[in-house]
Amino acid sequence: MLSRLMSGSSRSLEREYSCTVRLLDDSEYTCTIQRDAKGQYLFDLLCHHLNLLEKDYFGIRFVDPDKQRHWLEFTKSVVKQLRSQPPFTMCFRVKFYPADPAALKEEITRYLVFLQIKRDLYHGRLLCKTSDAALLAAYILQAEIGDYDPGKHPEGYSSKFQFFPKHSEKLEKKIAEIHKTELSGQTPATSELNFLRKAQTLETYGVDPHPCKDVSGNAAFLAFTPFGFVVLQGNKRVHFIKWNEVTKLKFEGKTFYLYVSQKEEKKIILTYFAPTPEACKHLWKCGIENQAFYKLEKSSQVRTVSSSNLFFKGSRFRYSGRVAKEVMESSAKIKREPPEIHRAGMVPSRSCPSITHGPRLSSVPRTRRRAVHISIMEGLESLRDSAHSTPVRSSSHGDTFLPHVRSSRADSNERVAVIADEAYSPADSVLPTPVAEHSLELMLLSRQINGATCSIEEEKESEASTPTATEAEALGGELRALCQGHGGSEQEQVNKFVLSVLRLLLVTMGLLFVLLLLLIVLTESDLDVAFFRDIRQTPEFEQFHYQYFCPLRRWFACKIRSVVSLLIDT
């Protein structure tokens, strides 16, 4: 009896798994879940810990053993999704950026979104010109240390803060000047609100870039924002497509397709190639979820989406959750005392440090800080003068927009490679993103192509081990081969054609087999079903049965008897 109890208790312990979730302020929340616990259960535990009600904007992100990032699906088992050995490590992040973060009902929600955008600024995902960067950094400074105090904040105090991947001396002085003169008296909540209002006006607000290549082999980054689909290429936004213009998202292997319908053109298809099939599937699922969240009026309009057509193996996915309009309506009904917010203050962070006590982190020497190698500002500033919706071109006419890309790249190479601090941007010309470890090599190669330096600040969101030198070299070789062109694309097309023909043959044989079974049931069985009875009584069936089927059956029976007798004789 005692042994049974002990074995039962040991089995129950084996079904429990320890989960650690890293929060936006880099603190950690640890809990225990059962083997069959759904993602919704873990997410609800986390939101209860944070005292968060407007939780639909957030999600839990994890990295699988193949270094591919995923969003935790709330309707599936946590253990089955992670496919790794416990204890599990995940990250709590903003999944759907609010279209108007200042309109969020509760301060705790605004604070968490503020932390996410501060991370985006630090890791180079939120790009802006120097004046905007200085203002955003000053808001962070005011929110974290309060009003300027000469006794506590000596000369050069802003240099101890790390707001961006790179700093310049002049930018630091500008940040300190705005903090001293313009933000005095603002509470942390007010500074954070002003920070959000400014950040939402930037073109890269809400961008979580996915590295890809276009049909011409050029490196590109795809992203989904509250307002639509964005393609960043080199140092420019080459496409912006509103959500109401996106008609379909599809992927096949490494290939991602975006179907667009605009007024001036009937139908457009944009084609991009992800580094791996897993990365392409992740991109597709992110697109499906973002489109449903921002475009639909009600969650009842959500439909299951298939990634491919009949003759190609695909995936089926359905977004589970409320849409943006429903979330706003639900938030308006919240009536409770505002929860207490424990702000991180001046505590250093592992992946997004607010303050560092060492020297200023700068990727350029002191003698060259007044001339910084950067090219993305010119592209983003020129886009601000253009129309909000950038026209797109069909992927089948990739050669038509290839000269434009090359000419813009040539222009950037012909210009002087250094510009003054007035046009300094805190991020390099290509957006770093922690989609996967091997995507780092892809970004380094794209930087070399664009003439940019190869310094990358990458956010570490998992405890997954770093690949060995041999694995990194193999991955680098694969990506370099991808950069050389689309030599393997023809082979992939041939393989797809062969697979489609095989699937067609299998479907045809399956249909013939089903028809044969139906014929046998009609002719040989005694089932007295109205459907079968009506068919048997038709003159055509009777003629077929007596003139063709019965002779064929006798012939088969004769052949079978002869084979059996031959086997018996031998």
Side-chain angles (χ1 to χ4, degrees):
M1 184 68 179
L2 182 60
S3 61
R4 289 182 181 178
L5 290 175
M6 293 179 63
S7 61
S9 61
S10 62
R11 284 195 297 268
S12 63
L13 289 174
E14 289 175 359
R15 296 176 188 170
E16 294 183 348
Y17 298 88
S18 175
C19 293
T20 299
V21 183
R22 293 176 184 167
L23 307 180
L24 285 162
D25 60 357
D26 280 320
S27 63
E28 293 184 348
Y29 173 74
T30 303
C31 64
T32 302
I33 63 171
Q34 299 294 325
R35 180 181 181 85
D36 56 349
K38 305 292 185 183
Q40 186 68 54
Y41 173 76
L42 177 61
F43 184 67
D44 290 341
L45 277 181
L46 197 56
C47 293
H48 178 74
H49 169 75
L50 295 170
N51 206 356
L52 177 65
L53 293 183
E54 296 174 287
K55 56 187 179 181
D56 299 82
Y57 300 104
F58 302 88
I60 299 176
R61 174 170 275 165
F62 67 94
V63 181
D64 66 17
D66 298 325
K67 308 295 189 299
Q68 174 60 47
R69 290 197 311 173
H70 302 272
W71 287 106
L72 189 70
E73 294 186 39
F74 295 160
T75 58
K76 296 182 179 180
S77 168
V78 175
V79 177
K80 291 182 180 179
Q81 290 184 69
L82 266 62
R83 297 188 297 110
S84 59
Q85 295 297 324
F88 304 125
T89 301
M90 290 162 276
C91 298
F92 179 80
R93 296 291 182 260
V94 172
K95 186 176 183 180
F96 304 112
Y97 287 75
D100 183 8
L104 295 170
K105 180 69 178 293
E106 295 199 305
E107 184 182 340
I108 179 66
T109 315
R110 291 193 295 270
Y111 174 64
L112 293 174
V113 176
F114 162 77
L115 291 178
Q116 176 67 67
I117 300 177
K118 189 175 78 167
R119 298 179 75 93
D120 295 344
L121 189 67
Y122 174 77
H123 291 287
R125 293 187 290 267
L126 184 67
L127 305 180
C128 53
K129 57 185 179 181
T130 307
S131 58
D132 294 336
L135 182 59
L136 290 172
Y139 282 136
I140 297 174
L141 207 57
Q142 179 69 22
E144 295 200 352
I145 68 173
D147 293 342
Y148 169 73
D149 185 348
K152 297 180 180 178
H153 308 136
E155 185 69 22
Y157 70 100
S158 63
S159 65
K160 293 182 172 62
F161 287 77
Q162 187 71 14
F163 305 104
F164 318 108
K166 295 193 299 185
H167 281 206
S168 72
E169 191 173 359
K170 189 168 185 177
L171 178 60
E172 292 167 0
K173 292 181 179 179
K174 181 67 174 176
I175 294 170
E177 180 185 350
I178 296 175
H179 177 238
K180 293 177 184 178
T181 59
E182 299 181 21
L183 307 183
S184 179
Q186 288 191 11
T187 63
T190 303
S191 297
E192 291 160 6
L193 181 60
N194 291 331
F195 175 91
L196 295 176
R197 285 172 173 165
K198 182 62 182 176
Q200 78 175 78
T201 64
L202 303 177
E203 287 186 340
T204 49
Y205 167 74
V207 163
D208 183 18
H210 301 253
C212 293
K213 285 187 174 294
D214 65 8
V215 293
S216 302
N218 300 313
F221 291 90
L222 313 186
F224 309 102
T225 72
F227 314 105
F229 174 80
V230 175
V231 180
L232 301 169
Q233 199 165 47
N235 61 351
K236 291 185 178 181
R237 185 185 72 180
V238 295
H239 295 313
F240 172 76
I241 304 158
K242 297 178 181 178
W243 282 122
N244 57 6
E245 298 173 344
V246 177
T247 58
K248 185 179 180 181
L249 300 169
K250 190 179 76 169
F251 85 95
E252 293 175 359
K254 297 181 182 180
T255 309
F256 176 77
Y257 301 96
L258 181 80
Y259 292 76
V260 183
S261 177
Q262 290 185 328
K263 295 180 180 178
E264 62 270 15
E265 299 184 51
K266 292 183 179 179
K267 190 175 183 181
I268 301 168
I269 303 176
L270 296 178
T271 305
Y272 293 92
F273 304 94
T276 64
E278 293 76 18
C280 193
K281 183 176 180 179
H282 175 64
L283 170 65
W284 172 73
K285 291 173 71 173
C286 289
I288 295 298
E289 291 187 314
N290 278 270
Q291 185 182 28
F293 184 81
Y294 295 114
K295 182 179 180 180
L296 299 182
E297 296 288 328
K298 298 179 181 180
S299 56
S300 59
Q301 297 174 340
V302 176
R303 297 289 181 267
T304 301
V305 183
S306 177
S307 65
S308 187
N309 53 32
L310 176 64
F311 301 118
F312 286 94
K313 183 180 179 181
S315 299
R316 294 174 64 82
F317 179 71
R318 179 185 177 91
Y319 167 65
S320 59
R322 296 187 295 184
V323 299
K325 188 173 182 180
E326 292 175 332
V327 174
M328 292 298 294
E329 294 173 353
S330 176
S331 298
K333 300 176 183 178
I334 295 177
K335 294 180 181 179
R336 67 167 179 174
E337 290 294 324
E340 183 180 359
I341 300 175
H342 301 281
R343 288 180 167 84
M346 295 176 62
V347 178
S349 163
R350 286 192 304 271
S351 61
C352 183
S354 298
I355 184 169
T356 57
H357 298 285
R360 173 175 60 252
L361 299 178
S362 176
S363 60
V364 294
R366 178 177 289 275
T367 56
R368 296 180 56 212
R369 279 178 190 149
R370 297 189 59 84
V372 183
H373 181 102
I374 198 72
S375 60
I376 192 167
M377 263 323 304
E378 298 162 353
L380 291 180
E381 287 181 343
S382 64
L383 286 170
R384 289 188 176 89
D385 299 331
S386 63
H388 183 58
S389 181
T390 307
V392 298
R393 295 175 175 84
S394 172
S395 62
S396 60
H397 301 85
D399 295 335
T400 60
F401 66 87
L402 179 59
H404 169 73
V405 177
R406 289 178 177 170
S407 64
S408 64
R409 185 177 298 163
D411 294 341
S412 64
N413 291 332
E414 291 173 1
R415 291 192 294 267
V416 180
V418 292
I419 56 178
D421 277 342
E422 284 73 14
Y424 171 68
S425 170
D428 285 337
S429 62
V430 176
L431 298 174
T433 178
V435 172
E437 291 292 334
H438 58 263
S439 66
L440 179 62
E441 180 71 17
L442 175 61
M443 289 182 281
L444 288 172
L445 291 173
S446 63
R447 285 171 178 266
Q448 293 170 356
I449 293 172
N450 293 318
T453 57
C454 293
S455 60
I456 285 185
E457 296 287 345
E458 191 176 61
E459 181 178 6
K460 301 300 181 183
E461 288 194 347
S462 73
E463 292 290 346
S465 59
T466 305
T468 62
T470 306
E471 293 172 341
E473 184 178 357
L475 291 170
E478 180 184 352
L479 290 168
R480 289 191 187 94
L482 187 61
C483 289
Q484 292 175 356
H486 295 282
S489 60
E490 295 181 358
Q491 183 65 32
E492 290 182 1
Q493 292 178 356
V494 172
N495 293 338
K496 289 180 180 179
F497 175 75
V498 172
L499 288 175
S500 64
V501 172
L502 290 176
R503 290 192 181 97
L504 180 61
L505 290 175
L506 289 174
V507 171
T508 303
M509 292 175 62
L511 291 174
L512 292 175
F513 182 72
V514 171
L515 290 174
L516 179 61
L517 290 178
L518 180 61
L519 179 62
I520 294 173
V521 170
L522 281 170
T523 55
E524 301 296 330
S525 69
D526 296 328
L527 293 177
D528 190 13
V529 182
F531 172 71
F532 290 158
R533 187 169 56 250
D534 293 340
I535 295 177
R536 290 188 184 110
Q537 291 176 356
T538 57
E540 293 82 0
F541 180 80
E542 291 181 353
Q543 182 180 7
F544 166 78
H545 183 263
Y546 292 110
Q547 292 187 6
Y548 298 99
F549 181 78
C550 290
L552 183 63
R553 184 179 59 181
R554 288 192 295 271
W555 183 83
F556 269 110
C558 181
K559 291 296 181 182
I560 292 173
R561 283 195 297 271
S562 63
V563 170
V564 171
S565 62
L566 181 63
L567 291 174
I568 293 173
D569 295 338
T570 57

